[in-house]
Amino acid sequence: MSGTPSSELHCTVLSRRETMTSTKLVFLFSVAVISLGTVRTAEADLPHVEISNWAIRFGAQMWEIGKQVTRIREIKERYQSEAKIEQVDGFAMVKEMAEEMENMMGDKIEAIKRIMDAAEQLSVSHPRLSRQDLYEMRQRAETIEYYNAKRLNMYHKSGPKAGELLDNHKELIMSNSQHFGNVGVNTSVSAVHVPTNVFDGGPDVMNGILWSEQLDRIFMTNYESDPSLTWQYFGSSTGFMRQYPATKWGQGEWEPDLFDCRLRPWYLQAAASPKDMIILVDTSGSMTGVRKEIAKHVVLTLLDTLSENDFINIYKFSEVPVPVVPCFKDKLVQANLENVRELRNGMMESETSDIANFTSAFTTAFEILAKYNRTTQGSQCNQAIMLVTDGAPVGYREIFEKYNWPHKPVRVFTYVIGREIIDTAATNWMACANKGYFARVTSLAEVREQVLKYIPVLSRPMVMYQKDHPVIWTSAYIDIAEPKLSDWLWEIRERRKQRDRSLNYRALLRLISERNNAQSDDTSNVTGNNTRDASGRPTISMTVEQYLTYGNLVNEERLNAHRIKQEREEAANPANNQQHNRQGKSVTSTTPNPVSSVPTKHPDGPRAEALVKPDTLKAWLKRIETRTKPKFLMAISVATPVYDRKNFSNIIEKILINDIWEEKTRTVRTANLLGVAGTDIPVTELKKRTPAYKLGVNGYSFIVNNNGFVLHHPDHRPLDADGLLKPNYNTVDLSEVELVDSDGGPRENDTYLMTMRREMIERREGETSFKVRVHHDGMRRVSVRRQRYYYRGLKGTPYSLGLALPDGYGHFRVVAETEVKRLMADHNINVSSFFSGKNWKIHPDWIYCRYNYDHLKSFDSPEAQVMHFVDRTQRERWRWNSKHPRPSHDSARSHKQDDNFYCDKHLMQSLIFDAQATEVFDKNISLSIDRQDPHAMFKLFGISVAFVATRSGLLRWQDISTIDDKHFSEANLNAIDQTWYKRAVDQYSVEPDSFVYSVPFSTGTGITNESVVTASHAIFVEKGGYKAPAAVVGLQYKNSAFRETFFNITSGCTGGVQCRRTCSSGDLSCYVVDNHGYIVISKEERDTGRFFGEIDWLVMDSLIHYGVFKRVRIYDYQAVCKDMQGHRSAANFILTPLRYMKWFVQWMVGRATWLILQTQIAHLMNPDWAWAMEQEQADYHNEDNDESPGPTPTGGEFMADGDISIIVHDEAVTMDNAYANKTRPRPCDQQADLYVLQPEKLFKGDKPDSVKGKQNCNSNNLGARQCERHYSTHKIPHSNLLLLVIDTTCRCETQKQKIEMEEVRVNESLFCERPQENLYRLRPSVCLSYHPEEEEIKQCGKGSLQLPSLLLMTTTMIYSILKAI
């Protein structure tokens, strides 16, 4: 032997497998066990003593194997001898981190103020081009050059101009920058984005683009002085946005560009103070057809202009005002995403009838606003009524005199719908007499521009104060995504699902037809039980539903899996090589995904054989979304308004004098908003100021704003399972992510939590402690622990920083660092030698050392970057730059210098120490029976890899044998964040000498090539009565070998006694279950990874009753429920011919009306008017560049290609199968019951004890004889597992219960209560809603006489009459 086992062990020679020859003997570990008691001989009794011994033997053997493989003793000795334990001062830590954030945020404020000041000066000093000047330039074929972000680096793909720039496009050299989100940027210039609905050749837009070009100088200076700055921008009130650095806009050619900087949170909050708004929508009989659609879009656009600091409600009115959401009657609701979504949905359906009662509508709106103003509710700042109508008969002066005059606290904005409206005097007067604005909206294309005119009016008081430039901070939001874009992406996803399903349905019919034809000749090719067909091709069985969902599922990865398996079979059976030759034919699939190469039996029968991995579905959804889903980046923004410093402006008016229109210039008082200057701060940048290594395992930081919403939190999940934005992704409250451990129901808020929330909103400093429920693994596991919280406000912002540390080990930290210079001086050791080999990784998201600018040095991997700086630490004159860079305008400092970097000294020196302490993983394990293969012993037990992960983010491993699946290191780069790491640390307090075992939840489905069992153990340093985690070691077993080890032990009795009943016999069912109730080992391999309640809920319920498991209810307040929309029933076709004629005429008239609007035939009488129309997205866009096209309408080669034969089970296939159930997302609350082992119930004092139970069964035997089913449960030592043995002699009916999230249903009486409605919030500190000189500004919009369109009126009338039939 090449090594000797520990002295306390006894080695026994056993046969590993029945096929192993006598010359291939191995040494298996065993330990002395307690003496056996007398085994009961009664047939009905379980061998309880022997079961206990099985548990002890299995636990001890796995513990000893794990200790040897993971080098627990050597690693722990190294830490124990050299490391120190340091107590964590939570208050000092949160203060240090808060000050670091405050400095960083203060630097960003200074940067945007420089942009703001420069913009205000440039707008005054820059000569303005008039409309005439621009016209003359166009006549001379002169153009104003600028970089349009949507027209950069785009070339002809084919034709004679292939490779040349597209017309009106520019070329700009860009380089990828990790700092800017791995996109190509040019840091020498900025680029301009112009919304689709804005004409970039207009005088105001063009003048703004010209003078703002000089902001590049400020942008570059800011970035050179502060390398942590990301995107800087100036958003103009005319619609364009100048962004630095220049980059190509992200949308593809066919994707809609919905971005408009004026609708972004940073612009809306900076441009005007918070507001209470009531929208009154006229739904009288005249608001039909196109007017109704335009009015709806006006309201929806108004909703887009709101932020979470605003309050809103919408009333429809004809005879009486009615809220569009009944639950919102007589109140204002916070304009968060969830409430706005409800209002949007309420606007989708509206009926028009009767005559508009303006008096009742205005009275309702004024009374609600007055009530909120009186009771200090709402925003307590601006108040506005937005009237959307096609005209009012009178001005209703008496209403305004009663409720609004003389102080005019409520502004009135009026939107008149329709070009044919002649008399707009009344609605114009309403707006002008109440400090509002009048706008006429004549088409859908005009909606956004007309709606946005109210924002500069609200900003007037702020602009008139001039010197006050409030700085605003937004909530966390997704970079450039729009909530409505997310809805659109969802719709595209649903359409693609339906398209793929329809194509697969057609292909399935052909497949069944071909198979039936083949059966008449030779049935060997269609037998589902064979793994190969008559041609030697591997067969894959599918259900109808699987085929319709996933299609052929053939791609290179799948073919490779088959080839690997086949090559192994051929190597084992050379005689069969000729029979199994492949044709090597390439195929194209509709929905390419990897599947298992061999059909496996499913517990629900052969018709439900599982073929698709869970990650296969994700890959399929990813294929659907890759071309539509933007790259999401959570960020916050800081912004400030930019004012026009000119108080007066010259305006040109057309005046009719003696039947001649003449232009007159007039000087008027103005207060114009130029725009908003701002910059983004990625949430990842905030996290860098709270280093995870300082917080320790299971510790975390979080940030809360003035509304109680979290900016970041480890349980904040903005994306749903399909990778799309959740409807309320950025309005997640602190009370929705900190789940207090209590016996209360959903949303029963804990006093300690709500006190902490209130104090954080008020930006106080404090500390508290309470128990929480922390979920893992997609809400399938839960831990209950007490945490201590420390929090502190961030000065100059509406945010507070909080830290959560677990009680106990969370307040102590291992301190062990290697000082490089001293090590070199004392021992002449090259530190780089600690990082030899390729078997190590570091945490990819942690900052060890980095250059402040990407262009100074680029690296292929984080490991290469660390090694670069490890080498630099050993040079002379090395200095640690351990402070995050601060802005410096010193000319001696340049971002081009090679020493412009940041290094975290403590983290780097801890990493070097950990690398030295874990060097043993570079050495082979000495315990072996084969000198040529040092790992032979452990390969025998199916061990594939051993690993260690340390507090500094270092992951090190040693491969012992290979598996076909993804390598451990690839899936666990951020090892300290993995569940196995966290669970191991928590397990230490339960049983220090133990491993935590876990298996993938999908193990038993047979959809993985070779699943693994992961075992992890935490290494703690204990000194002076304190202890803290330093690292976690572990190993992975092949699941098949792990099971075999267990059944080798449980198939016999201790001491050579002949056993009558073992786990291998037919009348005992043996299960190894983990501490959350999931099966790790079962006689039926298909059960592995499943919740035990799915196998036998009655026994599980009994264990809960006896206290072995504790039920813990978990709530998900960020859940998304999918409402099924279904599809049309065939019964719809049973209709009368008259109904069809009516529908046809309605369709014809509707399309004709729409055609008139699009082609502007109705405006031939006034050809000077023209506008762009929005185009409706086609159901299925052109996908010529799709790499995975759908199946061909004819032919069947994709059904049975050269490598694989697809077999679909006999099932009824009808037209209904072709329809996909369309869904719509909806925010909701969900709950699930999870389970936690109570290990103390399995001990009597210090000794292990068993829990025995029985279940009365009603047998089906003659005479209905009663029998009992017994079970016995034993704790498996040195693990988180328990052994459960059930006597199956008595056949009992079993119940099954899965762990599934289900929606929390509320009583009807509570249906209208909004979850966050009554929670405490703090209003923004600045409100500028009044200036005494504002009455001098007379610009309030005005209408003009318009000639009615007889054609449009006639077609609209006909359409309305038909609609009413």
Side-chain angles (χ1 to χ4, degrees):
M1 295 176 59
S2 61
T4 305
S6 302
S7 59
E8 70 269 22
L9 301 179
H10 302 278
C11 295
T12 307
V13 179
L14 297 174
S15 173
R16 178 63 170 166
R17 295 180 176 87
E18 292 181 0
T19 58
M20 185 177 292
T21 62
S22 59
T23 58
K24 294 182 178 179
L25 297 178
V26 296
F27 288 94
L28 297 179
F29 295 104
S30 66
V31 295
V33 295
I34 60 175
S35 59
L36 298 177
T38 304
V39 181
R40 303 187 184 187
T41 59
E43 286 190 8
D45 290 342
L46 290 171
H48 297 289
V49 175
E50 196 59 56
I51 293 172
S52 177
N53 287 327
W54 289 340
I56 293 172
R57 289 181 61 197
F58 182 65
Q61 180 165 302
M62 292 297 100
W63 168 246
E64 294 299 336
I65 293 172
K67 282 200 306 182
Q68 293 293 331
V69 175
T70 59
R71 284 82 152 191
I72 290 176
R73 182 178 58 81
E74 295 96 320
I75 295 176
K76 186 167 186 175
E77 285 178 355
R78 183 63 185 268
Y79 279 105
Q80 193 68 35
S81 62
E82 300 186 33
K84 297 184 297 183
I85 298 291
E86 178 181 87
Q87 190 165 2
V88 175
D89 185 338
F91 274 119
M93 182 185 293
V94 74
K95 180 181 178 182
E96 175 190 350
M97 293 178 175
E99 289 176 349
E100 186 71 34
M101 280 193 182
E102 289 167 358
N103 290 337
M104 182 266 291
M105 292 177 168
D107 296 339
K108 306 303 179 282
I109 292 175
E110 292 303 315
I112 65 169
K113 284 185 175 179
R114 284 191 288 271
I115 300 171
M116 173 270 296
D117 188 60
E120 292 185 352
Q121 293 182 34
L122 289 169
S123 68
V124 174
S125 61
H126 191 275
R128 178 178 175 82
L129 296 176
S130 65
R131 189 183 300 271
Q132 183 64 27
D133 294 333
L134 294 173
Y135 174 76
E136 292 175 357
M137 290 178 63
R138 285 195 293 269
Q139 294 299 312
R140 297 193 299 267
E142 295 179 6
T143 59
I144 297 176
E145 299 293 331
Y146 71 97
Y147 290 107
N148 188 321
K150 294 193 288 187
R151 300 174 187 168
L152 288 177
N153 299 348
M154 296 184 69
Y155 306 89
H156 290 280
K157 296 180 180 179
S158 59
K161 292 186 177 181
E164 297 181 13
L165 276 172
L166 296 177
D167 296 340
N168 299 321
H169 283 63
K170 284 195 169 189
E171 189 172 41
L172 184 64
I173 297 175
M174 298 183 186
S175 57
N176 280 353
S177 170
Q178 185 178 3
H179 180 66
F180 290 99
N182 290 318
V183 298
V185 298
N186 186 308
T187 56
S188 301
V189 294
S190 62
V192 174
H193 174 272
V194 183
T196 304
N197 59 296
V198 173
F199 175 48
D200 61 356
D204 291 337
V205 175
M206 191 53 67
N207 277 286
I209 291 175
L210 282 173
W211 66 253
S212 65
E213 187 177 8
Q214 299 180 54
L215 291 176
D216 286 2
R217 170 175 52 87
I218 306 300
F219 290 146
M220 288 189 288
T221 301
N222 283 342
Y223 181 50
E224 288 179 1
S225 63
D226 182 4
S228 66
L229 269 173
T230 55
W231 304 105
Q232 304 172 67
Y233 39 79
F234 167 73
S236 170
S237 59
T238 61
F240 77 85
M241 181 183 73
R242 184 173 290 278
Q243 177 177 271
Y244 175 89
T247 188
K248 182 179 175 181
W249 202 249
Q251 265 71 24
E253 294 180 15
W254 62 270
E255 297 177 37
D257 179 18
L258 303 179
F259 185 86
D260 189 324
C261 68
R262 297 168 296 177
L263 296 176
R264 304 307 293 156
W266 51 268
Y267 186 98
L268 294 169
Q269 293 183 43
S273 296
K275 51 193 171 290
D276 298 336
M277 178 187 292
I278 292 183
I279 304 174
L280 300 176
V281 186
D282 183 354
T283 56
S284 62
S286 60
M287 291 288 288
T288 59
V290 178
R291 289 188 196 175
K292 180 180 175 181
E293 286 301 309
I294 295 175
K296 182 174 72 175
H297 281 77
V298 167
V299 174
L300 297 182
T301 305
L302 281 168
L303 292 177
D304 290 339
T305 66
L306 303 176
S307 71
E308 65 189 40
N309 292 320
D310 301 325
F311 287 78
I312 178 67
N313 204 347
I314 303 175
Y315 275 80
K316 299 181 290 187
F317 71 96
S318 52
E319 285 291 338
V320 293
V322 179
V324 297
V325 179
C327 290
F328 295 169
K329 185 178 181 180
D330 295 332
K331 61 182 176 181
L332 298 173
V333 295
Q334 189 178 13
N336 56 43
L337 287 181
E338 186 171 354
N339 289 334
V340 168
R341 189 181 187 86
E342 289 290 329
L343 292 168
R344 293 176 72 92
N345 291 338
M347 281 299 301
M348 292 299 105
E349 296 293 334
S350 61
E351 297 295 330
T352 56
S353 63
D354 301 325
I355 300 174
N357 187 340
F358 287 88
T359 300
S360 176
F362 275 122
T363 299
T364 300
F366 275 118
E367 288 180 350
I368 293 174
L369 291 173
K371 179 183 71 173
Y372 272 73
N373 194 24
R374 252 188 344 263
T375 57
T376 66
Q377 300 180 71
S379 69
Q380 291 295 296
C381 196
N382 288 300
Q383 290 191 322
I385 295 174
M386 324 300 280
L387 176 64
V388 183
T389 181
D390 60 350
V394 294
Y396 300 95
R397 184 185 185 93
E398 65 280 4
I399 298 293
F400 300 112
E401 287 178 342
K402 178 180 179 180
Y403 290 103
N404 206 38
W405 293 357
H407 301 296
K408 302 178 182 178
V410 180
R411 299 175 186 267
V412 177
F413 297 87
T414 55
Y415 296 91
V416 174
I417 310 300
R419 178 177 296 278
E420 66 281 1
I421 304 302
I422 300 176
D423 185 8
T424 60
T427 49
N428 195 322
W429 176 86
M430 290 179 190
C432 294
N434 292 278
K435 300 196 311 188
Y437 200 88
F438 166 84
R440 178 194 292 273
V441 188
T442 61
S443 72
L444 289 171
E446 289 183 335
V447 168
R448 182 182 291 181
E449 287 304 307
Q450 296 299 331
V451 166
L452 288 173
K453 288 181 178 179
Y454 90 88
I455 293 178
V457 176
L458 289 183
S459 70
R460 284 174 182 171
M462 189 165 55
V463 176
M464 296 181 78
Y465 282 108
Q466 286 291 318
K467 292 184 179 180
D468 292 330
H469 288 75
V471 174
I472 65 94
W473 295 85
T474 69
S475 288
Y477 64 96
I478 296 293
D479 195 13
I480 63 169
E482 297 272 2
K484 55 188 175 184
L485 177 62
S486 187
D487 291 341
W488 178 81
L489 291 174
W490 186 281
E491 182 63 26
I492 289 295
R493 171 188 171 281
E494 293 295 301
R495 290 175 181 178
R496 291 191 176 188
K497 282 172 57 178
Q498 179 61 73
R499 181 202 62 183
D500 287 348
R501 191 178 183 90
S502 298
L503 294 173
N504 290 335
Y505 172 77
R506 293 163 56 191
L508 177 61
L509 295 180
R510 290 194 300 273
L511 175 62
I512 294 175
S513 175
E514 293 170 2
R515 187 190 62 178
N516 291 338
N517 293 336
Q519 281 180 327
S520 61
D521 300 328
D522 182 8
T523 58
S524 63
N525 190 33
V526 291
T527 303
N529 297 326
N530 296 333
T531 59
R532 295 186 180 278
D533 65 9
S535 303
R537 297 176 300 206
T539 60
I540 296 295
S541 296
M542 283 185 154
T543 63
V544 167
E545 181 61 29
Q546 286 171 338
Y547 190 88
L548 292 175
T549 303
Y550 303 107
N552 195 19
L553 296 171
V554 179
N555 68 351
E556 184 178 355
E557 181 178 352
R558 179 182 175 190
L559 296 179
N560 287 339
H562 280 285
R563 287 172 183 140
I564 290 172
K565 179 175 178 60
Q566 188 170 23
E567 287 166 3
R568 291 177 178 174
E569 292 175 352
E570 292 170 353
N573 302 284
N576 297 331
N577 284 358
Q578 185 64 31
Q579 177 184 349
H580 293 167
N581 268 344
R582 302 182 301 272
Q583 298 176 18
K585 186 177 180 181
S586 61
V587 295
T588 304
S589 170
T590 309
T591 49
N593 285 289
V595 298
S596 173
S597 57
V598 179
T600 51
K601 298 298 179 184
H602 191 275
D604 296 330
R607 294 183 60 184
E609 290 173 2
L611 299 169
V612 185
K613 298 181 184 180
D615 57 353
T616 299
L617 176 58
K618 293 179 182 178
W620 176 73
L621 291 172
K622 184 178 180 181
R623 183 191 72 81
I624 287 180
E625 297 160 4
T626 46
R627 294 176 301 280
T628 58
K629 185 178 71 175
K631 294 181 179 179
F632 294 136
L633 172 68
M634 288 289 287
I636 62 173
S637 294
V638 55
T640 190
V642 180
Y643 307 147
D644 186 350
R645 294 183 179 179
K646 296 177 291 186
N647 294 328
F648 296 90
S649 296
N650 295 325
I651 63 172
I652 300 175
E653 294 181 323
K654 286 187 177 182
I655 302 176
L656 186 62
I657 301 177
N658 298 327
D659 296 331
I660 299 175
W661 290 99
E662 295 185 4
E663 290 186 352
K664 295 288 185 179
T665 301
R666 184 163 60 94
T667 300
V668 297
R669 180 68 187 272
T670 58
N672 295 328
L673 177 74
L674 291 178
V676 172
T679 185
D680 290 344
I681 305 176
V683 168
T684 53
E685 193 67 27
L686 299 177
K687 293 179 182 179
K688 291 172 185 175
R689 264 54 181 189
T690 59
Y693 79 92
K694 291 184 179 180
L695 299 173
V697 61
N698 289 320
Y700 56 87
S701 65
F702 56 96
I703 298 178
V704 175
N705 72 358
N706 61 298
N707 286 299
F709 301 150
V710 294
L711 272 64
H712 83 82
H713 187 283
D715 192 33
H716 182 207
R717 292 165 277 121
L719 304 182
D720 66 12
D722 298 330
L724 296 180
L725 280 179
K726 292 181 178 179
N728 56 341
Y729 78 95
N730 72 339
T731 54
V732 178
D733 193 82
L734 179 63
S735 61
E736 297 174 333
V737 290
E738 291 291 339
L739 305 180
V740 179
D741 181 40
S742 68
D743 296 328
R747 294 190 181 273
E748 291 189 10
N749 296 313
D750 179 79
T751 303
Y752 292 105
L753 172 62
M754 299 313 291
T755 300
M756 179 181 76
R757 179 185 180 276
R758 186 184 186 100
E759 291 184 350
M760 291 188 72
I761 288 174
E762 295 174 347
R763 297 188 291 283
R764 299 184 191 175
E765 186 177 49
E767 173 192 11
T768 189
S769 174
F770 48 84
K771 271 189 174 183
V772 293
R773 299 173 181 176
V774 183
H775 59 83
H776 313 284
D777 289 340
M779 290 195 164
R780 289 173 175 164
R781 305 183 191 275
V782 64
S783 301
V784 179
R785 61 169 172 261
R786 178 170 292 277
Q787 295 188 156
R788 187 161 294 276
Y789 297 84
Y790 305 90
Y791 47 90
R792 177 188 174 97
L794 301 177
K795 296 177 183 178
T797 75
Y799 309 137
S800 283
L801 171 66
L803 305 181
L805 303 178
D807 261 2
Y809 65 81
H811 285 78
F812 299 94
R813 186 166 55 204
V814 172
V815 179
E817 300 180 11
T818 297
E819 295 187 20
V820 179
K821 291 295 181 66
R822 178 175 297 179
L823 187 66
M824 292 178 61
D826 296 347
H827 303 284
N828 194 27
I829 296 177
N830 183 356
V831 177
S832 300
S833 64
F834 301 152
F835 298 91
S836 59
K838 302 284 187 181
N839 63 330
W840 63 276
K841 298 282 186 182
I842 59 171
H843 199 297
D845 300 327
W846 290 8
I847 302 300
Y848 296 85
C849 289
R850 68 173 181 185
Y851 286 100
N852 293 326
Y853 297 95
D854 290 342
H855 66 269
L856 293 178
K857 189 85 174 174
S858 60
F859 301 94
D860 295 333
S861 65
E863 292 73 34
Q865 188 174 32
V866 161
M867 287 306 302
H868 170 80
F869 281 98
V870 167
D871 291 338
R872 289 195 62 175
T873 60
Q874 301 175 79
R875 301 177 189 172
E876 294 184 5
R877 299 182 180 179
W878 164 258
R879 60 183 179 84
W880 295 95
N881 291 340
S882 294
K883 292 289 184 180
H884 286 282
R886 296 291 307 279
S888 172
H889 298 280
D890 186 357
S891 58
R893 174 181 171 181
S894 170
H895 70 279
K896 297 180 180 179
Q897 294 174 352
D898 191 52
D899 63 347
N900 199 332
F901 63 87
Y902 163 78
C903 260
D904 190 321
K905 178 180 178 181
H906 297 295
L907 181 56
M908 279 292 287
Q909 292 189 158
S910 298
L911 176 68
I912 295 172
F913 178 91
D914 289 351
Q916 188 177 12
T918 59
E919 269 191 303
V920 291
F921 267 75
D922 277 338
K923 301 173 183 177
N924 287 326
I925 309 171
S926 58
L927 183 60
S928 181
I929 59 172
D930 187 344
R931 293 182 180 274
Q932 295 183 351
D933 186 356
H935 295 154
M937 170 66 75
F938 301 108
K939 287 181 181 178
L940 187 64
F941 287 94
I943 300 173
S944 59
V945 64
F947 57 87
V948 59
T950 72
R951 75 225 151 91
S952 64
L954 176 66
L955 173 66
R956 214 160 199 158
W957 69 89
Q958 189 173 70
D959 292 317
I960 295 175
S961 62
T962 60
I963 58 175
D964 296 337
D965 218 344
K966 190 175 183 180
H967 191 270
F968 173 82
S969 64
E970 298 177 27
N972 294 274
L973 292 176
N974 53 343
I976 198 171
D977 301 325
Q978 295 295 320
T979 301
W980 53 260
Y981 194 110
K982 296 178 178 182
R983 292 179 67 201
V985 173
D986 283 339
Q987 173 72 11
Y988 190 87
S989 61
V990 178
E991 188 176 3
D993 293 339
S994 65
F995 280 95
V996 172
Y997 296 89
S998 61
V999 295
F1001 298 109
S1002 60
T1003 298
T1005 61
I1007 56 180
T1008 53
N1009 292 332
E1010 176 65 78
S1011 61
V1012 294
V1013 179
T1014 302
S1016 56
H1017 167 80
I1019 293 179
F1020 273 66
V1021 176
E1022 301 185 31
K1023 289 189 175 181
Y1026 302 129
K1027 56 185 178 182
V1032 168
V1033 297
L1035 64 160
Q1036 284 191 333
Y1037 298 89
K1038 292 182 179 179
N1039 184 55
S1040 57
F1042 192 72
R1043 292 178 69 254
E1044 190 172 350
T1045 300
F1046 170 77
F1047 283 108
N1048 280 342
I1049 292 174
T1050 58
S1051 295
C1053 290
T1054 310
V1057 179
Q1058 185 69 27
C1059 288
R1060 186 180 54 80
R1061 307 181 76 189
T1062 69
C1063 287
S1064 297
S1065 60
D1067 55 356
L1068 290 184
S1069 290
C1070 298
Y1071 300 92
V1072 174
V1073 181
D1074 73 8
N1075 57 326
H1076 294 287
Y1078 292 97
I1079 298 172
V1080 178
I1081 298 176
S1082 169
K1083 187 180 297 184
E1084 300 292 337
E1085 188 173 359
R1086 66 193 180 193
D1087 296 337
T1088 309
R1090 301 172 70 190
F1091 175 57
F1092 181 72
E1094 296 180 43
I1095 308 303
D1096 195 327
W1097 171 247
L1098 294 178
V1099 173
M1100 184 68 191
D1101 190 51
S1102 177
L1103 293 174
I1104 297 169
H1105 173 74
Y1106 285 118
V1108 177
F1109 282 96
K1110 179 182 178 181
R1111 180 185 284 108
V1112 179
R1113 178 159 292 180
I1114 199 82
Y1115 294 100
D1116 183 5
Y1117 300 126
Q1118 306 172 59
V1120 175
C1121 295
K1122 299 176 182 179
D1123 293 331
M1124 306 298 292
Q1125 291 185 317
H1127 60 270
R1128 296 193 176 207
S1129 168
N1132 288 340
F1133 289 98
I1134 309 176
L1135 297 168
T1136 64
L1138 184 60
R1139 179 66 61 88
Y1140 278 117
M1141 291 178 62
K1142 173 192 168 185
W1143 285 356
F1144 175 74
V1145 174
Q1146 282 184 342
W1147 179 83
M1148 287 293 294
V1149 174
R1151 299 306 294 179
T1153 304
W1154 194 246
L1155 180 64
I1156 291 169
L1157 289 173
Q1158 286 186 308
T1159 59
Q1160 304 179 33
I1161 295 175
H1163 307 135
L1164 293 177
M1165 299 178 67
N1166 190 355
D1168 293 334
W1169 289 91
W1171 68 94
M1173 297 297 300
E1174 293 183 347
Q1175 295 184 359
E1176 184 179 358
Q1177 178 70 30
D1179 279 352
Y1180 304 120
H1181 62 271
N1182 186 7
E1183 296 185 40
D1184 293 337
N1185 59 344
D1186 195 339
E1187 295 179 358
S1188 52
T1192 343
T1194 59
E1197 66 179 32
F1198 55 91
M1199 295 300 163
D1201 58 79
D1203 292 274
I1204 301 170
S1205 177
I1206 305 296
I1207 293 178
V1208 179
H1209 297 290
D1210 288 319
E1211 297 182 36
V1213 180
T1214 66
M1215 188 65 184
D1216 285 340
N1217 294 116
Y1219 292 105
N1221 288 319
K1222 296 185 68 175
T1223 60
R1224 297 298 297 173
R1226 169 177 57 86
C1228 63
D1229 293 349
Q1230 292 183 343
Q1231 65 183 19
D1233 287 334
L1234 305 180
Y1235 304 91
V1236 179
L1237 179 67
Q1238 307 298 299
E1240 64 276 6
K1241 296 292 183 178
L1242 297 171
F1243 282 85
K1244 183 177 290 185
D1246 296 335
K1247 296 182 179 179
D1249 192 19
S1250 63
V1251 172
K1252 309 175 185 67
K1254 64 181 179 180
Q1255 176 188 354
N1256 291 326
C1257 301
N1258 223 346
S1259 175
N1260 292 324
N1261 294 337
L1262 293 176
R1265 180 176 61 87
Q1266 294 288 332
C1267 66
E1268 295 178 337
R1269 183 172 63 162
H1270 295 255
Y1271 70 84
S1272 181
T1273 306
H1274 298 258
K1275 176 75 169 61
I1276 297 178
H1278 306 294
S1279 75
N1280 64 320
L1281 307 175
L1282 60 87
L1283 173 60
L1284 174 59
V1285 179
I1286 303 174
D1287 185 351
T1288 59
T1289 304
C1290 181
R1291 300 295 180 183
C1292 291
E1293 293 184 1
T1294 60
Q1295 297 179 10
K1296 299 181 179 182
Q1297 181 168 311
K1298 292 183 177 181
I1299 291 181
E1300 292 180 333
M1301 300 298 294
E1302 59 182 22
E1303 184 173 0
V1304 178
R1305 301 294 180 179
V1306 298
N1307 297 329
E1308 283 192 21
S1309 59
L1310 303 176
F1311 180 76
C1312 283
E1313 290 190 10
R1314 313 306 295 170
Q1316 301 173 355
E1317 186 174 6
N1318 298 318
L1319 294 180
Y1320 176 76
R1321 61 180 295 273
L1322 194 65
R1323 300 182 188 90
S1325 57
V1326 177
C1327 172
L1328 298 174
S1329 61
Y1330 172 78
H1331 192 281
E1333 299 177 8
E1334 187 183 351
E1335 294 284 355
E1336 299 177 10
I1337 300 176
K1338 302 301 181 182
Q1339 291 80 38
C1340 57
K1342 69 176 184 178
S1344 59
L1345 293 178
Q1346 300 291 328
L1347 293 176
S1349 169
L1350 181 61
L1351 178 60
L1352 184 59
M1353 290 177 62
T1354 304
T1355 52
T1356 303
M1357 186 179 301
I1358 296 173
Y1359 180 80
S1360 301
I1361 294 172
L1362 289 170
K1363 187 76 173 177
I1365 296 178

